[in-house]
Amino acid sequence: MGSPTNTYQIAGIDDLGRGFNRQVEMKVSNGTFQAVFRYERFLLETEPGVTEPAAINMLITQLQDRGYTQLRSRLQFRGEAYLGNQELWEEHPDIEPKGILARLLQAIRSTFRG
């Protein structure tokens, strides 16, 4: 059996304007890292990345592309060791929407959130 993998925590606002906080599993295979995110019925797996931070950044980008905002992440378990609040949150700035339709959709979402 291989060594235990690290687990991350991601929090933010989902595409429906609800706050969320979920664990992200890190799969390791052939020296690459793949982030696995489960949220309700939604499963998102990144392409393998060369480092854990690269896999987390791919996941953040994919979530932002789906309308998730105010995202932040941190390491929660190093192997089997629980880190609790020892690790600082890394903030991931929201991306600017591209195109008129994307800006309109963002404006509608922010109107109904408030």
Side-chain angles (χ1 to χ4, degrees), residues 2-3 6 10 15 29 39-40 42 48 52 57 66 76 80 83 95 107 110 113-114:
S3 62
N6 294 332
I10 290 185
D15 58 334
S29 177
Y39 181 59
E40 296 177 346
F42 178 50
E52 285 187 11
N57 287 331
R66 287 168 171 77
Q76 189 174 31
E80 294 179 6
L83 301 175
I95 56 174
S110 61
R113 282 185 203 149

Side-chain angles (χ1 to χ4, degrees), residues 48-63:
V50 293
T51 64
E52 285 187 11
I56 291 294
N57 287 331
M58 277 190 264
L59 177 63
I60 294 294
T61 299
Q62 290 175 358
L63 289 171

Side-chain angles (χ1 to χ4, degrees), residues 19-31:
F20 75 94
N21 188 332
R22 293 290 185 274
Q23 286 187 344
V24 175
E25 176 189 348
M26 192 63 61
K27 288 184 181 177
V28 182
S29 177
N30 298 323

Side-chain angles (χ1 to χ4, degrees), residues 2-111:
S3 62
T5 61
N6 294 332
T7 302
Y8 287 78
Q9 183 177 11
I10 290 185
I13 307 295
D14 71 10
D15 58 334
L16 298 175
R18 303 171 300 174
F20 75 94
N21 188 332
R22 293 290 185 274
Q23 286 187 344
V24 175
E25 176 189 348
M26 192 63 61
K27 288 184 181 177
V28 182
S29 177
N30 298 323
T32 62
F33 300 88
Q34 182 180 23
V36 180
F37 176 78
R38 290 177 179 84
Y39 181 59
E40 296 177 346
R41 295 183 193 172
F42 178 50
L43 171 65
L44 182 61
E45 296 182 353
T46 65
E47 293 295 319
V50 293
T51 64
E52 285 187 11
I56 291 294
N57 287 331
M58 277 190 264
L59 177 63
I60 294 294
T61 299
Q62 290 175 358
L63 289 171
Q64 289 173 332
D65 288 347
R66 287 168 171 77
Y68 287 59
T69 59
Q70 300 178 28
L71 298 174
R72 57 190 184 146
S73 64
R74 71 177 171 189
L75 184 61
Q76 189 174 31
F77 286 89
R78 181 172 285 117
E80 294 179 6
Y82 177 63
L83 301 175
N85 294 328
Q86 296 174 35
E87 295 292 318
L88 297 176
W89 285 102
E90 179 181 346
E91 302 290 332
H92 301 277
D94 292 341
I95 56 174
E96 289 297 318
K98 298 176 182 131
I100 295 170
L101 184 58
R103 286 194 298 273
L104 177 62
L105 183 58
Q106 183 182 38
I108 290 169
R109 282 186 180 139
S110 61
T111 299

